[in-house]
Amino acid sequence: MRYNFDEIIDRRASDSSKWNSYGEDVLPMPVADMDFRSPEPILRALHARVDHGLFGYGGASAQLREVICARMDRLYGWQVQPEEIITLPGLVCGLNVVSRAIGERGDGVVVNTPVYPPFLSAPVNQERELQRASLALESCNGNLHYAFAADAFKQAIQPNTRLFILCNPHNPVGRAYSKEELSQMAQICADHNLVICSDEIHCDLLLGGTQHTPIATLAPDVADRTITLLAPSKTFNIPGLGCSLAIIQNAELRNQVKKASAGIVPHVNLLGYAAAIAAYTECQEWHEELLAYLTANRDFAVNYVAKHLPQLRITVPEATYLAWIDCRASGIEGNPQKFFLQRAKVALGDGAAFGSEGMGFVRMNFGCPRALLEQGLEQICEALASLG
């Protein structure tokens, strides 16, 4: 490999919320923030922008819009026009803006659970009714596997439902949904006249040859009711630069989102634009090596759990760098996240924050040097062994 993903970088002096939220004796693995240095082309682009020396008000980047259009065509054969792209300072912001834009106060927003916590909070923040549809939890060769459950989804939809917020690839369960599953979702949404907001921020974090299908590419009528959210932040480890995008091909929906954003959503900053353009145009080799490293990390974690932690069950993520771990048969009393923080000195994501289906689960970020991943798993193993 040309790039050294094994390098351990001290982040405690860098204002990292991930590394400074716990004591120095705790290994933090909860936040979806990788511990790898961003690609060199991004660093060069940022240096060049800083060296220019001026930081006045910036406008929406026409270059970035063109880059996104070309990228969607190359990857998916998806024809997107520059005017169909809105820039946003973050995807959590996007979830809230879309929840605000679609329907009225008291209308319903349906999500598949367990799911990234802002999917649960955004509808409530915007005075909408949160409606939950559980994913189907299955066992596959002793590991966890989740699937879209059409019946549960239909039952969650009520007469006041106006919006479905989809997470694909899914955080925290790591699914990259099949075309068949996406087609089921799209058909049910069409039957109930629902707008689809598809958060696809992890679409470039595909492991082991997984393919991603944007739901909007299924058919023109699906694209017409879909808002697709994208960002380079997770893939290229630049979330602190705040540059995200919404592709909205339906002009009426696009205007609704713009209206909901007016006066409250700030512009993307100039450094965010510079980093995003460099990420999408100059970092292909780095990206390919990253995916190989993450795939190997995933396999290491899955094999470690199978060999040393039979009291736990883990997903085999198709995408993302997040493992979802079932601790319900481990013998831990109470919250496993608190147990591992106190006894293993490893900070993991609390499954309860992802919905009631996450009770007894934890989420682990394996987007880190292999040595840190192994250290975390060994400390978890030792903590569980102390239970006898």
Side-chain angles (χ1 to χ4, degrees), residues 111-115 133-136 145-149 164-185 198-199 206 210-215 218 318-319:
V111 301
N112 290 129
T113 49
V115 74
S134 297
L135 295 171
H145 180 78
Y146 286 81
F148 175 67
F164 167 43
I165 306 182
L166 167 64
C167 192
N168 181 39
H170 194 282
N171 173 7
V173 307
R175 281 300 316 283
Y177 289 113
S178 66
K179 286 186 178 181
E180 291 73 21
E181 289 172 302
L182 293 171
S183 295
Q184 279 187 301
M185 298 175 194
S198 185
D199 179 346
L206 304 173
T210 298
Q211 299 296 310
H212 172 69
T213 301
I215 194 169
L218 293 178
E318 299 162 342

Side-chain angles (χ1 to χ4, degrees), residues 43-372:
L43 303 183
R44 288 199 302 268
L46 292 173
H47 280 295
R49 192 64 190 79
V50 170
D51 289 344
H52 183 260
L54 291 172
F55 302 97
Y57 295 116
S61 171
Q63 183 183 0
L64 179 58
R65 293 171 194 264
E66 294 289 350
V67 165
I68 293 300
C69 291
R71 185 176 180 82
M72 295 302 102
D73 186 23
R74 176 172 59 84
L75 292 178
Y76 313 116
W78 184 11
Q79 302 298 312
V80 175
Q81 302 304 315
E83 64 271 16
E84 297 169 345
I85 299 172
I86 294 174
T87 54
L88 295 163
L91 285 201
V92 172
C93 169
L95 295 174
N96 280 270
V97 166
V98 173
S99 294
R100 180 186 181 94
I102 306 303
E104 306 293 339
R105 291 179 181 176
D107 282 343
V109 179
V110 63
V111 301
N112 290 129
T113 49
V115 74
Y116 179 48
F119 281 62
L120 307 176
S121 61
V124 178
N125 290 344
Q126 307 308 323
E127 301 181 86
R128 269 51 174 179
E129 179 186 335
L130 177 65
Q131 297 162 340
R132 307 169 189 236
S134 297
L135 295 171
L137 174 57
E138 306 164 344
S139 180
C140 181
N141 298 321
N143 296 314
L144 300 180
H145 180 78
Y146 286 81
F148 175 67
D151 288 342
F153 188 61
K154 292 175 185 176
Q155 291 171 10
I157 296 171
Q158 303 299 316
N160 70 334
T161 309
R162 299 290 178 268
L163 174 66
F164 167 43
I165 306 182
L166 167 64
C167 192
N168 181 39
H170 194 282
N171 173 7
V173 307
R175 281 300 316 283
Y177 289 113
S178 66
K179 286 186 178 181
E180 291 73 21
E181 289 172 302
L182 293 171
S183 295
Q184 279 187 301
M185 298 175 194
Q187 186 58 59
I188 295 168
C189 289
D191 292 343
H192 293 84
N193 196 28
L194 305 186
V195 173
I196 301 168
C197 176
S198 185
D199 179 346
E200 303 185 10
I201 193 172
H202 293 100
C203 68
D204 295 312
L205 290 165
L206 304 173
L207 309 180
T210 298
Q211 299 296 310
H212 172 69
T213 301
I215 194 169
T217 63
L218 293 178
D221 62 311
V222 180
D224 196 52
R225 65 172 65 250
T226 298
I227 298 165
T228 302
L229 303 180
L230 300 166
S233 55
K234 300 298 183 187
T235 304
F236 301 96
N237 209 29
I238 50 174
L241 295 177
C243 180
S244 303
L245 306 140
I247 299 175
I248 314 174
Q249 296 185 288
N250 180 310
E252 182 179 349
L253 283 181
R254 194 161 63 247
N255 288 334
Q256 287 176 243
V257 171
K258 288 180 178 179
K259 183 178 179 181
S261 305
I264 60 172
V265 177
H267 299 294
V268 173
N269 72 76
L270 297 172
L271 296 180
Y273 281 135
I277 292 167
Y280 285 137
T281 60
E282 300 182 64
C283 298
Q284 181 65 26
E285 183 181 15
W286 182 93
H287 181 214
E288 290 173 359
E289 292 196 12
L290 170 73
L291 295 185
Y293 193 89
L294 290 177
T295 300
N297 268 8
R298 175 201 66 183
D299 294 344
F300 180 88
V302 170
N303 291 334
Y304 190 99
V305 169
K307 183 176 182 180
H308 301 288
L309 297 167
Q311 63 271 65
L312 304 181
R313 290 197 302 162
I314 188 172
T315 53
V316 183
E318 299 162 342
T320 80
Y321 44 78
L322 305 167
W324 185 240
I325 303 172
D326 183 357
C327 308
R328 293 175 296 177
S330 65
I332 295 171
E333 293 185 7
N335 187 320
Q337 188 271 343
K338 292 181 179 178
F339 171 83
F340 289 125
L341 181 59
Q342 294 166 2
R343 299 281 287 273
K345 298 300 181 182
V346 177
L348 302 169
D350 186 353
F354 296 79
S356 59
E357 297 88 346
M359 296 289 291
F361 289 73
V362 291
R363 190 188 74 171
M364 180 180 70
N365 177 352
F366 56 84
C368 60
R370 187 83 37 78
L372 294 183

